[in-house]
């Protein structure tokens, strides 16, 4: 089984090499003449006002929260799907029950207005 | 001599054995060579994709596209690459330099890493790990991270806004997309992509058309392509998370995006169109590479077709569509598919296929009815806003149609 | 002479520990979150080395794909995103250091005394399918059915609780 992961591991080591090489070549070939005006933050020609890294809209957090719960739940379902042939009918039904409990959460979030964007 | 790939691999293995290397080191060397060949091939295709994308969008927009350099403008991407390589690279003021430089590297590297598990023909598959389907989701998660890194490190408000929108969109659409992947896994009873392809004597798009459609929509959103391109809405935030990137760093994002689209084409082909399967692909595996490539390119073309045909959606529409339509729909289909698959064990395969197809068509019919009545209601709202009962207080600036 | 696996293990562990150290010492909160991602990724690689591929991908999907993103979104909700000028240690640090060292020493002592530390794990039998076994175990009444369903209720409770705390509109 580790043999299967060998290829993935080597990929993990080698895949970044190509983009890194593509970033190193311009260091040699490309001109480098920075000046303060050139490196200013781009905002369609208007000078930027205030700090960029400020407090952000809270709703993104809510969606990430709902997503997290769904994500954990779905990951649980994959082994269940792989074992499908060995499962009795009630095994399938309890798996679906697992999903439906999640649906209650979705309906609750929906009714609470978490899924509205404004 | 049926398969040149196996032949070359066997010859190399014999050659290395004759050199007197230990068998573990031979497998390491073989795997390393495989990685280099696969990654280079993928990147060569990527350069070619620049031409494909530009040519196809030109045709959709009634233009000619690149046609000066070489036959049909085929050398255009080479000129693009040279231009990007010799272009000055600007790092904006106040950027977090390390994260800023790491983001484009991750963006392309994660896409290349996806190819480690995709079976390209009967004999060419990088890795057959038993969690292939989840591996794809996991690598995609790191891709999401590269976008938030780019947006945050640029120290630019547009970039941060674009990154936040993109990440909210990607995590939202990941839910229906992963459940859509779960349905082929249930049908194949395996997460290994090679097994999923081998079990498709009938393509899964016949057994699970709804999952296929949801996967396609999810792919479109994961890619940030129109109609889900609000992360780079030109008229509001110019280019989104990669606004401050110039030269080759932008080039890496661009290449990553194109390759990602093609990879999703390949994944769609693997999950729903039978991967490398086709006439004679089992006896002559080299044909499988051709079939896989044709299917992947066709799906890539479909993704482009959607991109250049639809207008952009608003962020509330995008989120509503995901959480209030796609997710409930795919959860329903998942439950029904799971129960039906269990109840239909032992019946002839053609009855099984027909039953699955019929179930999907029935669900599609109900979806069509529901969406139709919803659309009628929405149109009425626009036609006669006075009649709309608003459930909660609305700010003066928003029209009732925005509160859906 | 170390086996290649041991070399990889030591390398990955060093990276994980170093990244974890950076998480608590970096002053920039987003950077700290990114270092945390690296540490979690290192743990995922350790899972792979233990031949637990499913846990490795689950680690990446849940911790990097969801929790790290959630943390970055949460950081964006706070006021001081980039810099925290406050002191990083307080006056009780010598006590904390002594306790930490003592616990570390105890762990080392226990592991030294355990006879299985140096033995290699037995090879998995042929045809062993950890994934489908896990799937069957999750829904078998005499195995993990109750924890499985309770986990679902727990997730539901977590979702509802989070919604109530984060989103109490009045």
């Amino acid at each position: 089984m580790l043999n299967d992961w060998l290829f993935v591991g080597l990929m993990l080591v080698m895949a970044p090499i190509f983009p890194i090489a593509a970033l190193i070549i311009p260091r040699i070939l490309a001109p480098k003449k920075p000046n303060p005006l050139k490196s200013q933050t781009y905002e369609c020609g208007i000078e930027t006002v205030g700090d960029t890294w400020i407090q952000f809209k809270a709703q993104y957090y809510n969606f990430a929260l709902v997503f997290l719960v769904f994500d954990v739940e779905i990951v649980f379902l994959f082994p269940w799907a792989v074992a499908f042939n060995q499962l009795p009918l009630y095994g399938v039904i309890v798996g679906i029950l697992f999903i439906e409990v999640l649906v209650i959460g979705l309906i609750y979030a929906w009714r609470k207005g978490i899924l509205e964007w404004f | 001599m049926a398969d040149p790939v196996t032949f070359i691999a066997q010859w190399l293995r014999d050659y290395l054995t004759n050199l007197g290397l230990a068998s573990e080191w031979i497998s390491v060397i073989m795997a390393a060579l495989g990685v280099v060949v696969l990654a280079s091939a993928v990147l060569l295709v990527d350069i070619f994709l620049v031409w494909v994308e530009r040519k196809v969008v030109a045709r959709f927009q009634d233009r000619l596209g690149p046609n000066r350099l070489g036959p049909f403008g085929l050398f255009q991407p080479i000129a693009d690459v040279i231009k990007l390589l010799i272009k000055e690279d600007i790092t904006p003021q106040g950027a977090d330099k390390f994260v800023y430089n790491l983001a484009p590297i991750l963006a392309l590297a994660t896409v290349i890493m996806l190819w480690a598990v995709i079976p390209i023909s009967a004999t060419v598959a990088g890795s057959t790990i038993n969690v292939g389907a989840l591996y794809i989701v996991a690598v995609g998660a790191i891709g999401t991270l590269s976008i938030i890194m780019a947006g945050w490190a640029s120290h630019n408000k547009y970039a941060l806004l674009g990154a936040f929108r993109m990440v909210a969109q990607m995590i939202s659409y990941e839910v229906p997309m992963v459940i859509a992947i779960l349905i082929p896994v249930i049908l194949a009873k395996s997460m290994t992509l090679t097994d999923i392809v081998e079990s498709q004597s009938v393509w899964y798009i016949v057994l699970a058309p709804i999952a296929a459609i949801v996967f396609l929509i999810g792919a479109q959103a994961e890619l940030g392509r129109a109609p889900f391109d609000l992360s780079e809405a030109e008229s509001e935030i110019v280019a989104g998370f990669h606004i401050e990137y110039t030269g080759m760093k932008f080039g890496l994002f661009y290449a990553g995006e194109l390759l990602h689209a093609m990879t999703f084409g390949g994944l769609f082909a693997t999950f729903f169109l039978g991967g490398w399967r086709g006439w004679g692909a089992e006896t002559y595996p080299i044909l499988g590479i051709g079939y896989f490539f044709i299917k992947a390119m066709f799906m890539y073309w479909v993704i482009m077709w959607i991109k250049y045909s639809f207008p952009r959606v608003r962020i509330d529409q995008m989120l509503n569509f995901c959480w209030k339509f796609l997710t409930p729909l795919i959860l329903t289909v998942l439950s029904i598919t799971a129960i039906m698959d269990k109840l239909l064990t032992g019946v002839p395969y053609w009855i099984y296929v027909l039953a699955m197809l019929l179930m999907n068509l029935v669900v599609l019919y109900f979806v069509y009815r529901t969406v139709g009545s919803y659309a009628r209601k929405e149109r009425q709202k626009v036609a006669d806003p006075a009649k709309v009962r608003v459930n909660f207080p609305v700010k003066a600036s928003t029209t009732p149609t925005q509160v859906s | 002479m170390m086996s290649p696996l041991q070399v990889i293990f030591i390398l990955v562990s060093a990276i994980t520990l170093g990244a974890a150290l950076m998480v608590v010492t970096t002053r920039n909160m987003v950077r700290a979150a990114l270092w945390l991602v690296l540490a979690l990724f290192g743990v995922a690689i350790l899972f792979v080395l233990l031949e637990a591929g499913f846990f490795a991908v689950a680690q990446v999907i849940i911790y990097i794909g969801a929790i790290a993103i959630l943390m970055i979104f949460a950081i964006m909700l706070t006021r001081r995103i980039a810099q925290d000028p406050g002191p990083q240690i307080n006056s009780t640090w010598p006590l904390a250091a002594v306790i930490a060292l003592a616990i570390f020493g105890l762990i080392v002592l226990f592991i030294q005394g355990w006879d299985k530390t140096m033995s290699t794990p037995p090879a998995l039998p042929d045809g062993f399918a950890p994934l489908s076994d896990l799937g069957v175990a999750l829904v078998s009444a005499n195995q993990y059915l109750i924890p499985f369903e309770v986990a679902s209720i727990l997730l539901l409770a977590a979702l509802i609780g989070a919604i109530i705390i984060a989103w109490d509109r009045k």
Side-chain angles (χ1 to χ4, degrees), chain A residues 78 81-82 84, chain B residues 133 176-193 195-200 202-205 207-215 267-274 330 333-334 337-338 341 349 352 356:
Chain A
F78 271 87
V82 171
F84 227 78
Chain B
M177 203 182 79
V178 176
I179 302 175
I181 293 177
L182 190 58
I183 289 174
V185 172
I186 287 181
L187 295 175
K189 277 90 181 168
S190 172
M191 268 200 260
T192 315
L193 295 196
D195 291 353
I196 292 178
V197 170
E198 267 157 30
S199 64
Q200 291 185 59
V202 176
W203 292 0
Y204 283 161
I205 195 167
L207 277 82
I210 295 181
I213 296 168
V214 172
F215 182 82
L267 286 175
F268 189 95
T270 308
F271 283 125
F272 297 105
L273 296 182
I330 195 73
V333 175
L334 172 69
T337 309
D341 182 271
Y349 195 60
Y352 177 82
M356 284 287 180

Side-chain angles (χ1 to χ4, degrees), chain A residues 4 38-39 42 49 84 87, chain B residues 88 93 127 157 244 342:
Chain A
D4 295 335
K38 200 191 268 175
S39 61
Y42 173 75
V49 177
F84 227 78
L87 293 182
Chain B
E88 183 180 357
Q93 233 170 30
S127 172
K157 284 165 194 152
E244 288 287 7
K342 200 74 233 174

Side-chain angles (χ1 to χ4, degrees), chain C residues 28-62:
Chain C
N28 187 319
M29 277 162 73
V30 176
R31 275 194 158 203
L34 294 176
W35 281 113
L36 181 66
V37 166
L38 184 61
L40 294 169
F41 191 74
V43 175
I45 296 177
L46 293 184
F47 275 131
V48 171
L49 295 179
L50 291 171
E51 307 209 10
F54 176 69
F55 289 107
V57 285
Q59 168 91 6
V60 173
I61 292 173
I62 293 172

Side-chain angles (χ1 to χ4, degrees), chain A residues 1 3-8 10-12 14-16 18-23 25-27 29-36 38-44 48-54 56-57 60 63-64 66-67 70-71 74-75 77-89 92-93 96 99-100 102-103 106 110 115-118, chain B residues 27-28 31-32 34-36 38-40 43 85-94 101 105 108-109 112-113 116 126-131 133-135 152 155-158 160-161 164-165 168 171-172 174-175 178-179 182 185-186 189 191 238 243-244 248-249 252 315-316 319-320 323-324 327-328 331 334-335 338-339 341-343 404:
Chain A
M1 207 179 123
N3 279 340
D4 295 335
W5 283 94
L6 174 68
F7 192 87
V8 175
L10 286 170
M11 200 72 164
L12 178 70
M14 290 195 191
F18 295 91
I20 288 173
L23 287 192
I25 296 169
R27 295 232 158 167
L29 295 179
K32 188 119 186 92
K33 301 189 196 88
N35 68 49
K38 200 191 268 175
S39 61
Q40 260 183 4
T41 301
Y42 173 75
E43 234 164 73
C44 303
T48 179
V49 177
D51 196 12
T52 307
W53 294 332
I54 49 162
F56 228 77
K57 199 170 165 71
Y60 290 104
F63 279 96
V66 180
F67 161 71
F70 269 87
D71 213 30
I74 296 164
V75 168
L77 285 175
F78 271 87
W80 169 77
V82 171
F84 227 78
N85 274 348
Q86 288 99 291
L87 293 182
L89 183 61
V92 175
I93 290 170
I96 289 164
I99 304 170
E100 301 314 329
L102 187 68
V103 172
L106 183 66
W110 191 335
L115 305 178
E116 302 303 329
W117 185 272
F118 44 83
Chain B
S27 29
V28 171
V35 168
V36 171
L38 183 65
S40 320
L43 285 170
L85 280 177
I86 57 173
K87 197 174 168 197
E88 183 180 357
D89 190 46
I90 302 167
T91 308
Q93 233 170 30
N101 287 326
I105 296 172
L108 184 58
I112 299 174
M113 280 197 69
S127 172
T128 52
I129 48 174
N130 60 353
V131 287
L134 274 179
Y135 170 84
W152 180 78
H155 200 271
N156 181 311
K157 284 165 194 152
Y158 294 160
L160 198 59
L161 260 176
F164 265 64
R165 285 188 190 182
I171 59 175
S172 294
E174 201 174 306
V175 172
V178 176
I179 302 175
L182 190 58
V185 172
I186 287 181
K189 277 90 181 168
M191 268 200 260
V238 190
I243 182 171
E244 288 287 7
M248 202 58 208
K249 283 177 199 158
L252 290 181
I315 189 161
D316 61 323
L319 290 164
N320 278 348
W323 289 105
K324 297 183 179 173
T327 307
L331 280 171
L334 172 69
S335 309
I339 291 186
D341 182 271
K342 200 74 233 174
L343 289 179
S404 46

Side-chain angles (χ1 to χ4, degrees), chain B residues 4 44 73 76 124-125 157 167 201 207 213 215-216 229 236 330 340 360 365:
Chain B
L44 273 180
Q76 184 69 38
V124 185
K157 284 165 194 152
V167 170
S201 49
L207 277 82
I213 296 168
F215 182 82
L216 187 62
D229 65 340
E236 324 160 17
I330 195 73
M340 276 185 65
N360 272 279
Y365 174 73

Side-chain angles (χ1 to χ4, degrees), chain B residues 203-278:
Chain B
W203 292 0
Y204 283 161
I205 195 167
V206 180
L207 277 82
I210 295 181
I213 296 168
V214 172
F215 182 82
L216 187 62
I217 296 171
Q220 200 83 15
E222 292 280 299
L223 291 165
R225 293 190 154 213
F228 303 109
D229 65 340
L230 56 163
S231 61
E232 44 194 86
E234 302 91 336
S235 46
E236 324 160 17
I237 51 176
V238 190
F241 61 89
H242 56 61
I243 182 171
E244 288 287 7
Y245 284 90
T246 53
M248 202 58 208
K249 283 177 199 158
F250 166 74
L252 290 181
F253 274 117
Y254 186 64
E257 204 259 323
L258 288 182
L259 188 60
H260 207 180
M262 156 84 181
T263 311
F264 265 116
L267 286 175
F268 189 95
T270 308
F271 283 125
F272 297 105
L273 296 182
W276 46 261
R277 289 183 82 103

